[in-house]
Amino acid sequence: MEKIVSLCKRRGFIFQSSEIYGGLNGLWDYGPLGVELKRNLKNYWWRVMVHERDDVVGMDGSILMNRAVWKASGHEETFSDPMVDCRSCKARLRADQVIDKKGVRQCPNCGGKDLTEPRAFNLMFKTYVGATEDESSMTYLRPETAQAIFVQFKTVLEVSRKKLPFGIAQVGKAFRNEINPRNFTFRSREFEQMELEYFCRAEEGMRLLDYWLKERLKFYERIGISRGKLHVREVPEEERAFYSKANYDIEYDFPFGLQELEGVAYRTDYDLSQHQKASGKSLEYFDEETKQKFIPHVVEPSAGVDRTVLALICEAYAEDQAPDEKGKMETRVVLRFHPRMAPIKCGIFPLLKNNAQLVEKAKEIVDLLRPHMYVFYDESGAIGRRYRRQDEIGTPFGVTVDFETLGEKDATLRNTVTLRDRDSMKQRRVAIGELAGTLLADIT
Ligand code: GAP
């Protein structure tokens, strides 16, 4: 993890938030490469979950909502972790982190035995809307995106004219005042979720839960996370919310252990029923064939953007051996991102920066590829060093404009370039006119 965290900072993937002021625990900023990786992931999720399907539409709800939403959903009452304070070192600990030595509770920080009884600590961030700061103007930053979908269920149903089963997808920020943010971005206080609420008839719930589990596992493979590193955990009844009929966690084998990436949960009709009861507005579905009215059930695949980005980086990180300028083998750090996810798709290099023709041709290629993908032009340093810099940030392809491109050595090679593959380091010649098509076949 240390190597990964340091690479993320050095090459502009992820930085500590407010770093020049000493940071703020559990909050992170994504730099120029991190933001590309994150966007590639969110866009691909949207493509697979919304655009490639007839039965899902999207929405983008507000982060602040009427406090009544959080009362009805149960978050105000129960979205809390039991906490214990250590009176010796003043640490606030999650109750499940307290050490139990033969029935004696001990602080994992200082070993102290003077601990308070567990107390509920709500994880939602409070805020005030408008000029007055009192109970009547209070609400919370949303701790999940899902509730916006439930409260807009009827409106989206009407405007989209969908029939059951159908889903509403959303990607957006969520906030939780986690007691112990840790493992880099894994447990943060501000993060993004990619959630689908898939509404169905009660009798279809269990089948659709398994269907979505399979779909989501396929998704991870399609972004380059190997199946062998994923683990499906069936959440036992005692860990599930009382309304949940079944729940899978998709876990990833992080360097710090097997940890949850996504939950695929069968939430029954709990959320819609709660909001119907609390708001007094009907959230029922009318089945035109059977003329029945009922509250649909829901299956929810809910994934974390930041956790998946972290998994992508962990999965991609590799060290291997590659020859340096003089042919001597050296250790190469390489991020083997799937080309779909890679922040930069192609590096473009004139062999020599002081040759006007090579530079001009390379810039023509930049203009040719730019409408299709994010590319990076680099003319500084030896070509081997330029390749290494791109390997380290996971750029899957490198294009070098050399004297063959100008047709100086062999007229048949005019307007061809060297195309280098990041992982195999193999090079082949490709006609400039075929470059965009060749690269697009791998990155889309
Ligand atoms: N709507 C359901 C829901 O929010 P959850 O299991 O609490 O379920 C879903 O969260 C996903 O959101 C998790 O699987 C994880 O990927 C992500 N997530 C939750 N808390 C997080 C945190 N503190 N930091 C980063 N990601 C988090």
Side-chain angles (χ1 to χ4, degrees):
M1 263 331 268
E2 248 169 58
K3 283 183 177 175
I4 288 171
V5 174
S6 139
L7 174 69
C8 281
K9 181 168 179 193
R10 187 160 40 82
R11 296 309 311 269
F13 282 91
I14 302 170
F15 316 116
Q16 203 185 5
S17 159
S18 344
E19 197 166 9
I20 59 168
Y21 290 103
L24 189 58
N25 200 8
L27 295 151
W28 301 93
D29 291 341
Y30 288 77
L33 294 175
V35 71
E36 296 297 331
L37 181 58
K38 209 176 181 197
R39 266 170 190 263
N40 290 342
L41 170 65
K42 290 190 284 182
N43 289 345
Y44 190 62
W45 185 91
W46 198 261
R47 184 177 126 189
V48 170
M49 302 293 275
V50 184
H51 290 180
E52 290 182 359
R53 304 185 63 100
D54 289 326
D55 56 351
V56 176
V57 292
M59 71 165 276
D60 188 23
S62 63
I63 285 170
L64 298 176
M65 295 197 283
N66 192 314
R67 182 179 176 184
V69 171
W70 307 110
K71 287 188 174 168
S73 67
H75 282 84
E76 194 172 275
E77 187 79 0
T78 61
F79 194 59
S80 53
D81 275 346
M83 302 301 302
V84 164
D85 288 330
C86 171
R87 292 194 184 96
S88 311
C89 72
K90 310 287 175 225
R92 176 159 284 177
L93 313 154
R94 276 214 335 244
D96 61 2
Q97 290 171 337
V98 168
I99 300 166
D100 190 331
K101 267 200 184 155
K102 294 185 185 151
V104 180
R105 296 179 316 145
Q106 215 175 339
C107 170
N109 247 11
C110 70
K113 295 184 183 110
D114 191 6
L115 306 175
T116 63
E117 284 308 307
R119 276 176 304 199
F121 180 86
N122 197 293
L123 298 180
M124 289 195 292
F125 283 99
K126 285 184 187 142
T127 190
Y128 298 92
V129 178
T132 49
E133 289 194 8
D134 58 24
E135 273 283 298
S136 68
S137 62
M138 201 192 92
T139 191
Y140 304 96
L141 301 190
R142 66 180 180 198
E144 61 170 13
T145 66
Q147 296 303 323
I149 299 180
F150 296 130
V151 299
Q152 293 292 5
F153 160 75
K154 200 64 183 270
T155 321
V156 176
L157 173 68
E158 279 163 15
V159 296
S160 63
R161 296 169 45 235
K162 293 283 173 204
K163 299 257 180 297
L164 288 183
F166 86 99
I168 305 176
Q170 186 175 205
V171 176
K173 289 269 187 181
F175 304 82
R176 295 183 191 177
N177 196 4
E178 298 283 359
I179 312 307
N180 285 322
R182 68 202 145 116
N183 290 330
F184 198 21
T185 56
F186 179 82
R187 191 177 303 286
S188 309
R189 290 185 163 137
E190 175 175 339
F191 55 96
E192 271 183 280
Q193 292 184 315
M194 305 181 281
E195 297 201 294
L196 170 71
E197 304 304 324
Y198 196 74
F199 301 97
C200 62
R201 290 177 173 76
E203 57 274 22
E204 295 172 311
M206 290 308 279
R207 178 183 65 77
L208 286 168
L209 180 76
D210 285 334
Y211 165 79
W212 278 109
L213 173 67
K214 286 196 194 101
E215 287 299 296
R216 298 301 305 145
L217 288 171
K218 265 192 254 164
F219 175 86
Y220 288 108
E221 288 187 62
R222 284 161 72 175
I223 60 172
I225 293 190
S226 55
R227 183 64 184 84
K229 287 257 185 145
L230 292 172
H231 177 253
V232 176
R233 189 173 88 97
E234 218 175 315
V235 181
E237 195 175 351
E238 60 273 18
E239 284 181 38
R240 295 198 305 261
F242 69 91
Y243 53 80
S244 167
K245 269 211 171 155
N247 193 347
Y248 295 113
D249 280 348
I250 301 179
E251 299 178 324
Y252 177 73
D253 193 3
F254 285 98
F256 45 83
L258 209 52
Q259 296 280 350
E260 178 188 330
L261 263 192
E262 165 160 359
V264 185
Y266 179 15
R267 294 174 75 127
T268 64
D269 60 355
Y270 175 75
D271 303 273
L272 290 181
S273 301
Q274 286 294 102
H275 288 302
Q276 172 164 294
K277 221 187 297 162
S279 68
K281 304 274 167 22
S282 163
L283 295 178
E284 285 176 321
Y285 176 85
F286 178 65
D287 187 327
E288 283 173 19
E289 276 168 32
T290 61
K291 307 289 176 216
Q292 278 179 322
K293 262 188 178 177
F294 58 93
I295 293 186
H297 278 221
V298 71
V299 172
E300 175 198 65
S302 169
V305 174
D306 310 75
R307 285 188 187 178
T308 311
V309 164
L310 187 57
L312 285 170
I313 296 173
C314 293
E315 181 85 9
Y317 186 91
E319 289 174 14
D320 61 10
Q321 295 291 308
D324 68 6
E325 306 297 85
K326 297 185 185 98
K328 200 171 137 250
M329 295 309 267
E330 61 173 7
T331 301
R332 171 178 86 137
V333 172
V334 52
L335 288 179
R336 299 188 196 277
F337 288 128
H338 189 293
R340 263 188 198 127
M341 293 293 114
I344 295 170
K345 308 299 182 191
C346 184
I348 297 164
F349 320 112
L351 187 62
L352 301 171
K353 73 169 172 190
N354 51 11
N355 180 304
Q357 277 178 295
L358 292 177
V359 168
E360 191 188 339
K361 203 72 187 166
K363 290 193 171 162
E364 270 174 34
I365 296 175
V366 169
D367 291 339
L368 184 80
L369 295 182
R370 216 165 239 171
H372 306 285
M373 66 194 78
Y374 190 34
V375 299
F376 183 75
Y377 173 82
D378 188 4
E379 58 177 28
S380 66
I383 193 73
R385 289 259 73 87
R386 283 183 262 169
Y387 285 152
R388 267 323 163 269
R389 285 201 289 263
Q390 293 305 309
D391 291 343
E392 206 187 31
I393 58 170
T395 307
F397 304 107
V399 162
T400 305
V401 174
D402 46 28
F403 292 104
E404 276 90 345
T405 314
L406 305 179
E408 285 189 6
K409 292 188 178 159
D410 177 348
T412 62
L413 294 180
R414 185 186 297 280
N415 283 330
T416 64
V417 288
T418 302
L419 179 62
R420 174 186 180 268
D421 177 83
R422 174 199 64 204
D423 296 339
S424 65
M425 292 184 271
K426 289 212 171 94
Q427 306 191 358
R428 62 191 167 118
R429 287 213 80 80
V430 174
I432 292 174
E434 286 169 18
L435 254 185
T438 307
L439 301 183
L440 282 172
D442 282 320
I443 64 178
T444 45

